[in-house]
Amino acid sequence: MQEQQKGCSYHCQRCSMFIPVLFVLALIGWSYYAFMIAYGGRIEDLATRVLVSILYHIILVLFIWSYMMAIFTNPGPPPPQYYLTEDEHMNMRATDRGREVLQSVSARVSVQERTTTGAMRYCDLCKCIKPDRAHHCSMCMQCVLKMDHHCPWIGNCVGFTNYKYFILFLAYTCLYTLFITLCCIPYITNVWKHRSDDPLNFHVLIMFLISLVFFLTVFGLFSFHIYLLIHNKTTLESSRAPCFRGGFADSKHYDLGGYENVKQVLGDSLYLWAIPVFTSKGNGYVYDTRAYTNTRTDVPARTP
């Protein structure tokens, strides 16, 4: 009965997580009407109207495409070899040799990161050893590879497999709202100068204000994630440097240099950087590190 109630609570929580997503989709639907009908119908020059419409739809398609990919792509659970078998889990719980059990299990996986005390990073809820850069999400109820954060606006965790989509979602949100804002400025300015000729359309005015506010807000977040991208960090790692054997911390352990860091997420092909298809390098649980780092020994702490 308790498991049943827990299951119902979990599914209710999962459903409620999509309320912000529905709000965003409704806002996009309304903005389409406001731009194409309320604003587009007031563009007198046919060539300008066609050009604006084509550019708008290209940006809109890329915006929605990246948004859907960020929402529906599983951010990535740990691979099977990181999970303890039932016997291993029972053995760890039945004795006071939990650390020894984890050490023996870790022989079949590649793990460098440790807790601040130097112990193996283990998730008791998922019953698995956490891969490097992985963390447990209490909202998604699973460990997530290269977890960045849980984003309510996509109803999903941002992790290894959907981080590129999240970056593109932020980029195209900025581009979409900036495009609408710049298009509306001449119209609003013209109406303000000749108020008697054509009253200001309510939908256009509200669309302009909302787009401007969203652009300024999202651009700040986008800039922060560009910084993280260039330095090969996650949001969690930016607030606390990962620890390694011996309890040593290294905030630049995964920093391969700006361009190479960007390629870790966006891929080797420049032509695919702006397209919402998976091109990230690696497998999500084994990562390249700086050349000076000896991954088989303790990593000395370094100043960020």
Side-chain angles (χ1 to χ4, degrees):
M1 184 67 179
Q2 187 177 5
E3 288 298 320
Q4 228 174 4
Q5 290 176 346
K6 184 179 178 181
C8 291
S9 174
Y10 169 73
H11 290 300
C12 288
Q13 180 182 351
R14 290 293 296 174
C15 290
S16 65
M17 283 164 48
F18 283 95
I19 293 177
V21 174
L22 294 176
F23 171 76
V24 172
L25 293 176
L27 200 59
I28 294 173
W30 169 79
S31 69
Y32 185 86
Y33 162 79
F35 189 87
M36 292 303 300
I37 306 301
Y39 167 76
R42 287 169 167 75
I43 302 177
E44 297 180 358
D45 183 66
L46 179 60
T48 303
R49 188 187 306 174
V50 171
L51 178 61
V52 168
S53 178
I54 291 174
L55 291 175
Y56 173 79
H57 282 92
I58 291 174
I59 297 172
L60 179 64
V61 168
L62 291 170
F63 173 36
I64 295 179
W65 184 3
S66 60
Y67 188 43
M68 292 296 104
M69 293 299 291
I71 293 172
F72 294 110
T73 301
N74 190 316
Q81 64 266 30
Y82 284 82
Y83 288 87
L84 272 65
T85 64
E86 194 63 35
D87 290 340
E88 289 169 338
H89 182 72
M90 292 298 294
N91 185 31
M92 188 180 71
R93 288 298 168 207
T95 67
D96 58 357
R97 297 184 300 105
R99 191 179 185 121
E100 295 178 19
V101 173
L102 290 180
Q103 288 291 348
S104 64
V105 174
S106 66
R108 65 171 180 254
V109 297
S110 176
V111 179
Q112 297 180 46
E113 292 189 15
R114 299 290 189 270
T115 65
T116 53
T117 60
M120 295 292 298
R121 299 192 315 130
Y122 175 72
C123 179
D124 197 40
L125 294 174
C126 297
K127 300 177 183 177
C128 73
I129 293 175
K130 295 179 183 178
D132 293 339
R133 313 186 81 177
H135 297 273
H136 184 85
C137 175
S138 58
M139 297 293 290
C140 296
M141 296 297 290
Q142 72 171 36
C143 284
V144 175
L145 295 177
K146 197 185 175 184
M147 180 177 171
D148 188 89
H149 70 290
H150 183 91
C151 179
W153 297 108
I154 66 173
N156 196 6
C157 262
V158 178
F160 173 73
T161 56
N162 67 344
Y163 187 59
K164 177 187 176 181
Y165 307 138
F166 179 74
I167 288 286
L168 291 180
F169 163 59
L170 294 180
Y172 288 126
T173 298
C174 291
L175 185 59
Y176 181 74
T177 52
L178 179 62
F179 181 78
I180 291 176
T181 300
L182 294 179
C183 286
C184 289
I185 288 176
Y187 165 74
I188 294 175
T189 304
N190 183 61
V191 172
W192 184 261
K193 291 180 179 178
H194 311 88
R195 285 182 242 181
S196 59
D197 298 343
D198 183 19
L200 183 62
N201 184 275
F202 173 78
H203 289 283
V204 176
L205 176 61
I206 298 301
M207 177 179 63
F208 168 75
L209 294 175
I210 291 177
S211 296
L212 180 60
V213 170
F214 266 76
F215 170 74
L216 295 175
T217 304
V218 177
F219 183 75
L221 180 61
F222 176 61
S223 300
F224 173 64
H225 277 278
I226 291 298
Y227 165 81
L228 295 179
L229 181 67
I230 292 173
H231 292 86
N232 203 350
K233 292 183 179 181
T234 64
T235 298
L236 294 175
E237 291 167 353
S238 69
S239 59
R240 175 181 290 182
C243 292
F244 300 88
R245 282 183 286 268
F248 295 107
D250 185 1
S251 64
K252 296 183 178 180
H253 186 70
Y254 302 106
D255 191 349
L256 307 175
Y259 181 59
E260 188 60 38
N261 289 339
V262 172
K263 290 201 299 181
Q264 292 295 307
V265 175
L266 301 183
D268 290 319
S269 176
L270 290 172
Y271 302 105
L272 296 177
W273 279 15
I275 307 300
V277 295
F278 185 78
T279 55
S280 300
K281 300 174 68 173
N283 53 25
Y285 52 92
V286 176
Y287 293 92
D288 293 332
T289 58
R290 287 192 289 177
Y292 73 81
T293 302
N294 184 349
T295 58
R296 296 184 180 277
T297 60
D298 293 344
V299 180
R302 292 179 177 265
T303 305

